[in-house]
Amino acid sequence: KKENTPNTIYTSNNMMRNNNPLNLFPTTQTSAAAQLKLQRLLYSTLNRGPTQIQSTIASTLFNDQIDYMSTLDMNRAASFTFGYQNNIDTTTGNGGESVANELWELVLDVVLCRCTEHSILALTKTISLLEHVLVNGAERVCLDGELLYRIEMVVEPLRELNTALVEQQLIEQILTTNNSDDNNNGNYDNARGNNDVVLIANGIGEQLTNFSTKAAATMLKLRGGSIDKGHPVRMAADKLYTLVSNPNNLRQVRLEKASN
C-alpha cells in the first residue's frame, strides 16, 4: 500500500482541481486530506484548530472513500448531546453543552453553511448524521428551539440545491464581475427573496479576478455547464427539514423510535 505523503496529497488535490476548475463541491480522497481540509475550514471560520471530537467526526464525513457513517459512529456523535455528567473532558474540565457545541459547529458552520466547499457525498452524510443525532440524542435537543430554528434555516436552501445552477451562477459572477470591492469580498447574500445557495467556494474572491479561472469559466459556459448532482442532498435535506420545522414531528419520531 502506497503511503500518502504531503506531496502525494498536494499532487492529488491539483489533479482534482484540474478536473474541477471552479473548485465547486470538491471531493476529498484520503484521511490526511480530510484533516487538512478540516483545519483550513475551522481556521477560516472560527479562527482556531479542530477539537478531537471534530477531527474524529470529520475523518468520516469528509473522506469520500467512505460512503456512509456506521451506526456506531453516528451513535457516538449522538452521545455528545447527553450532557455534562456523561461528557466531561478530564483535561479541560469542560463538558455537556460545550461538547455538543463542537458537533453543531462542525456540521452546521463548517459543512452545511459552506456547502459549495464539500462534495455531494459529504453533504449527504452530514445531513443524515444530523437527523440521527436529533432522533437518538438527548431530549434537550427537542426542547432547544433556537437550535432547531438554526438547523431549519441552514437546511432549507439545501432542499433546492442544484449543482449545475450553482456552477452557472458562479460562472456568471466570474465573467461579469468588475474590480469594485463589493464584488471582490467573496461574500454573496442569499437573502434576496429566494433560496439560492450562497456562492462561498474557497478563494472565490481571488477566483473572480483570476485570469485562468475566467478562462475556465468561459470554457464551461461554451460547453454548456454540467449535470445537476444535487438530488441526494435535496432528498436528505427535505426529510430533515420536515423534522426540525415542526418540533411535534421530531417528538413523534423519537417516541416511535423509543417504543421499538
Side-chain angles (χ1 to χ4, degrees):
K1 182 178 180 180
K2 185 176 181 179
E3 182 180 359
N4 286 314
T5 64
N7 286 337
T8 304
I9 296 169
Y10 178 79
T11 302
S12 177
N13 288 340
N14 278 348
M15 291 175 63
M16 287 187 287
R17 180 163 293 208
N18 289 336
N19 294 328
N20 180 13
L22 301 184
N23 203 32
L24 289 172
F25 309 103
T27 59
T28 305
Q29 300 295 331
T30 67
S31 296
Q35 292 303 316
L36 288 174
K37 179 175 183 176
L38 174 64
Q39 291 182 30
R40 174 180 60 79
L41 290 172
L42 271 168
Y43 273 110
S44 63
T45 303
L46 304 171
N47 197 31
R48 63 164 174 77
T51 66
Q52 183 59 51
I53 287 174
Q54 291 167 338
S55 294
T56 300
I57 297 174
S59 65
T60 303
L61 285 184
F62 290 1
N63 190 343
D64 289 297
Q65 294 294 325
I66 302 174
D67 291 334
Y68 58 88
M69 290 190 74
S70 68
T71 302
L72 178 63
D73 287 338
M74 291 195 291
N75 285 341
R76 183 181 297 113
S79 73
F80 300 142
T81 66
F82 276 93
Y84 184 85
Q85 290 86 350
N86 297 326
N87 295 288
I88 296 176
D89 187 329
T90 56
T91 302
T92 64
N94 296 327
E97 292 299 330
S98 64
V99 173
N101 284 339
E102 292 176 24
L103 173 63
W104 309 134
E105 283 177 355
L106 176 64
V107 298
L108 297 176
D109 300 333
V110 174
V111 181
L112 298 185
C113 282
R114 306 182 64 155
C115 64
T116 61
E117 298 184 57
H118 302 277
S119 69
I120 293 301
L121 178 57
L123 294 174
T124 305
K125 287 190 290 187
T126 300
I127 296 172
S128 297
L129 174 62
L130 253 178
E131 179 185 347
H132 184 91
V133 170
L134 292 177
V135 172
N136 297 278
E139 180 70 18
R140 72 182 65 183
V141 172
C142 293
L143 303 177
D144 191 339
E146 182 178 346
L147 172 64
L148 295 180
Y149 180 74
R150 182 183 172 195
I151 296 173
E152 179 184 349
M153 291 298 98
V154 170
V155 170
E156 183 177 14
L158 299 178
R159 300 168 68 200
E160 300 180 6
L161 177 66
N162 184 310
T163 61
L165 180 60
V166 171
E167 180 183 278
Q168 179 183 347
Q169 291 172 343
L170 180 55
I171 289 172
E172 292 303 320
Q173 290 284 0
I174 292 172
L175 296 180
T176 61
T177 189
N178 54 45
N179 293 323
S180 69
D181 290 339
D182 289 340
N183 285 340
N184 287 332
N185 63 9
N187 296 310
Y188 294 90
D189 186 6
N190 68 336
R192 300 173 182 171
N194 56 46
N195 289 328
D196 289 346
V197 173
V198 183
L199 297 179
I200 49 176
N202 180 46
I204 193 172
E206 296 178 4
Q207 288 181 7
L208 294 177
T209 57
N210 183 281
F211 176 80
S212 62
T213 304
K214 287 186 176 182
T218 302
M219 177 192 70
L220 290 171
K221 185 173 183 179
L222 292 173
R223 194 179 67 185
S226 60
I227 299 173
D228 171 46
K229 300 177 182 178
H231 179 72
V233 173
R234 293 193 295 270
M235 295 295 291
D238 197 54
K239 186 178 178 183
L240 178 57
Y241 182 83
T242 301
L243 285 181
V244 297
S245 61
N246 186 341
N248 290 329
N249 292 338
L250 178 56
R251 280 192 286 269
Q252 182 62 34
V253 172
R254 286 176 62 90
L255 286 173
E256 294 174 358
K257 180 76 174 179
S259 63
N260 291 336

